[in-house]
Amino acid sequence: MIGISFYLQDPHAEAQIIHAANLGVKRAFTSLHIPEEKGDLVKRMIKLLKLSESYGMEIHADVSLNTLNHLGISKLEDLWPLGIKGIRLDDGFDQEAVTSLSKVFSLSLNASTWNEVELLAVLGSGVEPESLIAWHNFYPRRETGLEEEFFHVQNRMFKKYGIPIFAFIPGAGSKRGPLHEGLPTLEKHRLMNPYAAGVELFQHVEGVFVGDQGTENNLLENLITYKSLNILSIRVKSRLLQSGQFKLRPDVSQDVFRLQNTRVTVNVEPSNTVARTLGSITMDNDGYGRYRGEVQICRRDLEASHRVNVIGRIIEEDIPLLSLLKPGQTIKLIIE
């Protein structure tokens, strides 16, 4: 599951919804209790919900006890006829309210704050675990995103009861105000390449949502390709390589990733046989005989070898992707 987020006072929300829907994204998140938002929010919400519905996109809204005053409605159930089919409950809702709302909406619990006692109370009231989503917070302020180990502890709790888990990555490009610092679930992802953050999250959760409105640099396209085809896109700088898909060997080498079917029979003269660093792209030259032409990506710093030409490198922002590669993985090298 890949999703976007849009916000009521973002003037580009319509374009964002259309772009994502045209790529096949079927679910979006919005918040209905952002203090900075002012004006006729219900009218704006209805307009965006109608647009989303016309593209077959389901909207899940973050709500709190402040949502009623924020939108000027009398009860949360009033959101259903407006087009909100799923709600994510922020803090402050008791067990009775959770049980009642679960009969109306697709319900998401706050995966970052709920404990097992609270969860068991809801499940004990008759709410089926398969009808719930455990949805983590995002954190606008630097230094407040979740610690990684706590994130995993929370996830293990929800997985024990068969409840799917969603989480956020920061956007690419434009970030939501007023802080403009990204909207990640994990603090470690705040300054990371959002695509790498998304790929990493997919190792642990079922749903990855872009928290900010920005999806530049083909963020959605690359995440969709990874999730649907298991192809990891990596940007590189090289004057010898061409953009294309390659498959890694199924056996894992200690020092390098080896790209299959790259050896050649023509001569490869020694050239630029310099020290190799993490992320360097290399090609074996004639000094390695029948290995000539084999392309590798360095997993760590290596000394120079007269038998290995350095022909490019992974761009710095994409270096975190190397730790996420799997044996036999298909990669798409994009020459920049």
Side-chain angles (χ1 to χ4, degrees):
M1 167 73 66
I2 296 168
I4 62 166
S5 302
F6 66 83
Y7 302 97
L8 301 186
Q9 293 196 322
D10 176 9
H12 305 294
E14 287 90 346
Q16 184 188 6
I17 291 168
I18 293 170
H19 171 67
N22 285 335
L23 293 174
V25 174
K26 294 297 184 183
R27 188 172 292 186
F29 170 87
T30 191
S31 179
L32 299 181
H33 60 103
I34 298 175
E36 293 83 10
E37 291 184 332
K38 308 294 181 184
D40 192 345
L41 299 178
V42 173
K43 182 178 179 180
R44 175 66 169 157
M45 180 179 67
I46 291 173
K47 180 181 179 181
L48 294 175
L49 290 175
K50 286 183 176 179
L51 176 66
S52 302
E53 185 178 14
S54 72
Y55 278 90
M57 187 179 288
E58 183 179 290
I59 306 304
H60 285 239
D62 199 35
V63 299
S64 71
L65 298 179
N66 295 326
T67 296
L68 302 182
N69 290 333
H70 192 60
L71 295 180
I73 58 177
S74 61
K75 58 184 184 300
L76 288 176
E77 286 81 355
D78 292 340
L79 295 172
W80 174 267
L82 296 177
I84 297 291
K85 305 307 179 188
I87 59 173
R88 176 185 176 277
L89 301 179
D90 209 345
D91 298 334
F93 292 91
D94 59 27
Q95 176 192 327
E96 184 179 350
V98 173
T99 304
S100 176
L101 289 169
S102 72
K103 298 174 182 178
V104 179
F105 298 99
S106 171
L107 200 62
S108 301
L109 307 178
N110 189 328
S112 301
T113 62
W114 274 58
N115 60 47
E116 193 163 15
V117 172
E118 293 169 322
L119 178 58
L120 288 173
V122 169
L123 296 178
S125 71
V127 178
E128 297 296 330
E130 56 268 24
S131 70
L132 296 171
I133 298 169
W135 203 324
H136 281 283
N137 282 340
F138 55 52
Y139 294 89
R141 187 198 184 283
R142 282 186 184 232
E143 303 159 355
T144 63
L146 293 186
E147 180 221 21
E148 191 170 10
E149 180 53 34
F150 175 78
F151 174 73
H152 294 316
V153 168
Q154 290 294 102
N155 291 348
R156 286 194 289 269
M157 176 181 69
F158 288 103
K159 287 179 179 179
K160 182 165 66 173
Y161 298 100
I163 300 172
I165 303 163
F166 292 0
F168 291 98
I169 59 173
S174 53
K175 305 289 196 291
R176 198 196 78 183
L179 297 182
H180 305 284
E181 298 279 9
L183 298 174
T185 289
L186 286 169
E187 186 61 33
K188 65 176 283 190
H189 288 164
R190 189 176 303 279
L191 301 179
M192 185 186 287
N193 172 1
Y195 173 59
V199 171
E200 182 178 34
L201 271 190
F202 271 127
Q203 319 303 316
H204 308 291
V205 304
E206 288 72 32
V208 171
F209 279 67
V210 183
D212 296 288
Q213 63 266 38
T215 56
E216 294 91 331
N217 301 325
N218 295 314
L219 176 58
L220 291 178
E221 291 87 338
N222 289 340
L223 285 173
I224 290 168
T225 299
Y226 172 75
K227 188 60 178 171
S228 60
L229 301 175
N230 194 30
I231 298 174
L232 196 67
S233 299
I234 304 176
R235 294 170 292 173
V236 307
K237 291 189 178 295
S238 174
R239 288 183 291 180
L240 293 179
L241 283 175
Q242 294 183 338
S243 296
Q245 291 185 16
F246 300 87
K247 195 174 184 67
L248 302 182
R249 286 177 59 113
D251 47 347
V252 180
S253 300
Q254 172 182 279
D255 298 328
V256 296
F257 296 104
R258 304 173 67 187
L259 278 58
Q260 292 188 151
N261 303 318
T262 52
R263 298 180 193 175
V264 297
T265 56
V266 298
N267 289 344
V268 179
E269 298 290 338
S271 175
N272 200 36
T273 57
V274 297
R276 297 157 284 170
T277 57
L278 171 67
S280 289
I281 303 172
T282 67
M283 178 182 287
D284 288 352
N285 62 42
D286 290 339
Y288 263 124
R290 64 184 177 87
Y291 290 93
R292 68 171 58 88
E294 179 169 297
V295 177
Q296 302 175 354
I297 302 172
C298 294
R299 301 181 65 183
R300 65 181 183 89
D301 293 349
L302 298 169
E303 63 186 15
S305 168
H306 68 278
R307 296 183 289 187
V308 179
N309 299 348
V310 177
I311 63 171
R313 69 171 289 102
I314 308 299
I315 72 165
E316 200 62 34
E317 191 180 18
D318 284 4
I319 291 291
L321 290 167
L322 298 182
S323 66
L324 303 172
L325 291 173
K326 305 294 184 184
Q329 175 90 53
T330 298
I331 62 174
K332 181 179 180 181
L333 296 184
I334 302 168
I335 307 301
E336 295 221 317

